[in-house]
C-alpha cells in the first residue's frame, strides 16, 4: 500500500478535490453557497444561484463524507439576476471575501431573506416573513467596508485570503473597501516581515489608521482611538472606540441600527435598561438620554478596554453604570440579588447569547427585549430558548449591512408571551 493510500485511509476516503461534476443547483444555504447533489452526494457550491445548471469543481471533500464543497467553474444555464462580478478577484480560487458578487443586489437580498427564513424554520420552528432592507451609505453594494485587515505574503505583498484557505491573493483594489481604505496606500506598499495590516477608515481622525501586525514592541496594540458620529432623528452623538475593537464597518450601519433599536425598544423616563454586550456604548449613550429623568442604563461588556471607552463616551450622562464582566456572570449576580429590568438590549458576538444568558434575561422579567444579531442561526437558536422561557418573538427585521457577502444583520423583538407576563 502506498503512502498516499495509507494517508487517505487514515483521513477517511479518497480525495475528491479537483473532480468536476455537472449539477443542477438547488436552494441557497447559510454560508454563501447553494446546495446541489451528484449521484446522491450533497455538494455545497459557491459562485452559483438556485435554478442554475453548472459544472462544479470539488475543492474539499472525500469519498464517504456527508457533503463536499465545490466552486462553479462553468455556468451552463443561468438564473435570472446573475450579473458579471464587478471585482475580477471574485472568482473560483481567488479572493474569498465576497460570496454573491455574481448576483444583482435584489437577488442577493432575496437569498439572504431565504436563509433567515430557513434558519428560523429549522432551528426555532417558526415561519417568519422577512425581507432584507438596504443600509444607506454604500455605492450600489460597494465601497462600504471601513475596516479591512489585509494579509501579507512571504514577499511582503498585501492581499486577501482565498476561501477557507491560508493562501494569500495579492490584489490592487478591494471594491467593498471604502475609498479611504484603498487611498491609504496599503496596497501600493510592500510590508516585509509583517503578517497583516489592519486599515481603519473612521470619521476621526481624517486620515485612515494603519496598524501593521504583529505590533512593534511598545506600540499600542489597539491602534489607538477613532471617533464615529451617529444619528437618531434630530439627535446626534459622537463616541470613541478602539481602532481594532468591534464596531459596525458599514458607514450607515451604526446610525441605522441605533434608530431601529430606539424605535423598537420604546424606552422612556424612569425605565431601567440593561444594555448587554454593550461594547463602547453605541446604544448606552442614547438610551441614557431617553430614560432621564429617573431612569438608568446598566452597560455590561466583557472587554475591559471597551468599557473604558464606554465610560468615556457616557461620562457626561446621568444614570449610567458600567460593569466589566462576562454577561452570563453579571446576569447571574443580578438575578441572585433579585434585580429586575424594564427593558433589555442584546448585541452579542456572532456565536449568539446562548442558553444560559437567554434564561437569565428572562429572569430579569423585562417587558421587552431587543436582540441585534449578525448570525441568523445563532439568533434562531436563542429565540427558541426565549420561547421556552415565556418570551415570544413579536417582530423581526433583516438588514443588508454586508453587501456582496452572505452576512446579514437581524433585529428581533422579544416580549412576554401573554399580556400578564413581564413587569408591565
Amino acid at each position: 500500500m502506498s503512502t498516499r493510500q495509507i494517508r487517505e485511509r487514515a483521513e477517511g476516503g479518497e480525495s475528491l478535490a479537483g473532480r468536476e461534476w455537472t449539477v443542477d443547483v438547488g436552494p441557497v444555504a447559510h454560508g454563501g453557497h447553494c446546495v446541489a447533489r451528484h449521484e446522491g452526494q450533497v455538494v455545497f457550491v459557491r459562485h452559483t444561484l438556485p435554478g442554475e445548471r453548472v459544472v462544479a469543481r470539488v475543492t474539499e471533500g472525500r469519498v464517504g463524507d456527508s457533503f463536499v464543497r465545490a466552486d462553479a467553474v462553468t455556468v451552463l444555464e443561468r438564473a435570472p439576476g446573475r450579473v458579471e462580478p464587478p471585482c475580477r478577484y471574485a472568482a473560483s480560487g481567488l479572493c474569498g471575501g465576497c460570496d454573491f458578487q455574481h448576483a444583482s443586489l435584489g437577488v442577493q437580498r432575496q437569498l439572504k431573506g431565504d436563509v433567515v427564513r430557513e434558519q428560523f424554520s429549522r432551528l426555532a420552528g417558526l415561519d417568519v416573513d422577512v425581507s432584507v432592507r438596504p443600509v444607506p451609505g454604500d455605492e450600489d453594494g460597494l465601497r462600504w467596508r471601513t475596516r479591512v485587515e489585509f494579509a501579507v505574503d512571504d514577499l511582503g505583498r498585501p492581499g486577501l485570503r482565498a476561501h477557507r484557505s491560508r493562501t494569500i491573493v495579492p490584489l490592487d483594489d478591494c471594491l467593498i473597501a471604502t475609498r479611504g481604505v484603498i487611498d491609504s496606500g496599503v496596497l501600493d506598499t510592500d510590508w516585509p516581515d509583517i503578517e497583516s495590516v489592519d486599515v481603519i477608515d473612521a470619521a476621526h481622525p481624517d486620515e485612515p489608521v494603519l496598524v501593521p501586525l504583529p505590533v512593534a514592541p511598545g506600540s499600542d496594540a489597539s491602534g489607538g482611538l477613532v471617533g464615529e458620529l451617529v444619528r437618531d432623528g434630530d439627535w446626534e452623538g459622537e463616541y470613541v472606540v478602539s481602532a481594532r475593537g468591534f464596531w459596525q464597518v458599514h458607514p450607515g450601519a451604526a446610525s441605522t441600527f441605533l434608530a431601529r433599536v430606539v424605535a423598537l425598544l420604546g424606552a422612556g423616563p424612569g425605565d431601567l435598561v440593561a444594555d448587554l454586550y454593550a461594547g463602547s456604548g453605541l446604544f448606552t449613550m442614547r438610551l441614557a438620554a431617553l430614560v432621564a429623568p429617573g431612569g438608568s442604563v446598566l452597560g455590561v461588556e466583557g472587554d475591559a478596554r471597551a468599557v473604558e471607552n464606554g465610560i468615556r463616551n457616557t461620562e457626561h450622562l446621568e444614570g449610567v453604570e458600567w460593569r466589566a464582566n462576562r454577561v452570563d456572570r453579571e446576569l447571574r449576580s443580578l438575578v441572585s440579588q433579585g434585580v429586575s429590568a424594564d427593558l433589555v438590549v442584546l448585541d452579542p458576538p456572532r456565536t449568539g447569547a446562548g442558553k444560559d444568558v437567554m434564561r437569565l434575561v428572562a429572569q430579569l422579567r423585562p417587558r421587552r427585549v431587543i436582540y441585534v444579531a449578525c448570525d441568523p442561526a445563532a439568533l434562531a437558536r436563542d429565540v427558541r430558548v426565549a420561547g421556552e422561557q415565556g418570551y415570544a418573538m413579536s417582530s423581526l427585521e433583516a438588514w443588508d449591512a454586508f453587501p456582496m457577502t452572505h452576512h446579514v444583520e437581524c433585529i428581533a423583538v422579544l416580549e412576554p408571551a401573554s399580556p400578564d407576563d413581564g413587569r408591565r
Side-chain angles (χ1 to χ4, degrees):
M1 182 180 294
S2 69
T3 302
R4 179 179 62 84
Q5 291 172 319
I6 294 173
R7 184 175 65 252
E8 287 176 348
R9 173 173 292 184
E11 293 177 346
E14 179 186 358
S15 174
L16 296 171
R19 303 279 184 92
E20 292 189 358
W21 300 330
T22 298
V23 296
D24 295 315
V25 180
V28 67
H30 188 26
H33 48 255
C34 295
V35 182
R37 289 182 181 273
H38 174 73
E39 298 180 353
Q41 173 71 67
V42 175
V43 188
F44 291 157
V45 191
R46 283 170 53 83
H47 306 293
T48 191
L49 297 174
E52 292 187 328
R53 186 173 178 82
V54 304
V55 176
R57 179 181 297 142
V58 178
T59 56
E60 294 180 52
R62 297 178 175 277
V63 173
D65 287 351
S66 58
F67 66 87
V68 301
R69 300 181 184 274
D71 284 346
V73 292
T74 305
V75 180
L76 304 175
E77 297 178 14
R78 297 165 60 96
R82 173 174 280 277
V83 299
E84 188 67 24
C87 176
R88 63 189 177 93
Y89 301 107
S92 176
L94 297 179
C95 177
C98 291
D99 306 293
F100 293 141
Q101 285 208 17
H102 59 283
S104 67
L105 278 176
V107 169
Q108 290 183 37
R109 290 167 185 154
Q110 179 183 334
L111 294 175
K112 294 180 185 186
D114 290 345
V115 167
V116 173
R117 286 186 287 273
E118 191 272 337
Q119 294 299 303
F120 270 86
S121 175
R122 184 171 63 87
L123 299 174
L126 297 176
D127 182 12
V128 300
D129 181 16
V130 64
S131 59
V132 179
R133 312 182 196 184
V135 174
D138 56 54
E139 300 178 15
D140 294 325
L142 304 175
R143 300 303 184 197
W144 55 267
R145 194 172 184 91
T146 58
R147 174 182 169 186
V148 183
E149 184 172 326
F150 294 97
V152 177
D153 67 13
D154 293 340
L155 300 177
R157 300 174 301 179
L160 295 170
R161 297 192 186 278
H163 181 62
R164 293 176 56 84
S165 171
R166 302 296 296 174
T167 300
I168 298 170
V169 180
L171 38 78
D172 55 18
D173 195 2
C174 172
L175 293 185
I176 64 171
T178 62
R179 297 185 188 278
V181 167
I182 302 305
D183 291 346
S184 71
V186 60
L187 296 177
D188 301 323
T189 305
D190 288 335
W191 300 92
D193 303 320
I194 294 296
E195 294 179 2
S196 62
V197 183
D198 211 356
V199 187
I200 301 95
D201 179 21
H204 304 290
D206 294 335
E207 296 295 326
V209 176
L210 281 72
V211 185
L213 303 172
V215 177
S219 300
D220 182 359
S222 73
L225 298 178
V226 296
E228 287 294 305
L229 186 67
V230 291
R231 294 181 174 87
D232 173 27
D234 295 333
W235 178 91
E236 68 176 30
E238 185 174 358
Y239 73 112
V240 298
V241 298
S242 298
R244 301 195 64 247
F246 173 79
W247 49 299
Q248 292 290 347
V249 296
H250 190 294
S255 291
T256 298
F257 300 156
L258 175 64
R260 294 309 300 152
V261 167
V262 166
L264 294 168
L265 191 64
D271 278 331
L272 169 60
V273 183
D275 185 7
L276 308 179
Y277 310 96
S280 295
L282 169 63
F283 301 131
T284 317
M285 61 183 186
R286 178 63 175 132
L287 293 173
L290 292 172
V291 301
S296 62
V297 181
L298 173 63
V300 182
E301 169 59 48
D303 185 332
R305 189 185 295 270
V307 171
E308 291 176 5
N309 296 332
I311 292 172
R312 174 175 175 172
N313 290 327
T314 58
E315 60 186 358
H316 61 292
L317 299 169
E318 296 183 0
V320 178
E321 182 181 357
W322 284 90
R323 304 277 179 88
N325 198 359
R326 270 179 35 178
V327 169
D328 58 338
R329 291 175 179 171
E330 190 60 39
L331 285 178
R332 201 168 288 112
S333 174
L334 294 173
V335 168
S336 69
Q337 298 171 48
V339 174
S340 58
D342 296 299
L343 301 162
V344 172
V345 176
L346 280 166
D347 188 6
R350 189 171 301 280
T351 51
K355 294 180 180 179
D356 288 346
V357 168
M358 296 307 296
R359 290 167 179 164
L360 290 164
V361 165
Q363 293 179 54
L364 296 178
R365 299 176 58 236
R367 69 174 184 268
R368 188 169 298 123
V369 177
I370 307 297
Y371 191 132
V372 183
C374 56
D375 184 273
L379 174 60
R381 287 190 292 266
D382 286 345
V383 166
R384 182 189 64 211
V385 176
E388 297 167 354
Q389 303 302 309
Y391 279 79
M393 186 173 70
S394 57
S395 75
L396 176 67
E397 299 178 357
W399 293 87
D400 194 12
F402 313 94
M404 306 295 167
T405 79
H406 74 273
H407 299 291
V408 60
E409 197 88 4
C410 293
I411 303 177
V413 180
L414 304 174
E415 297 177 304
S418 70
D420 296 330
D421 291 333
R423 288 176 56 82
R424 46 175 146 162

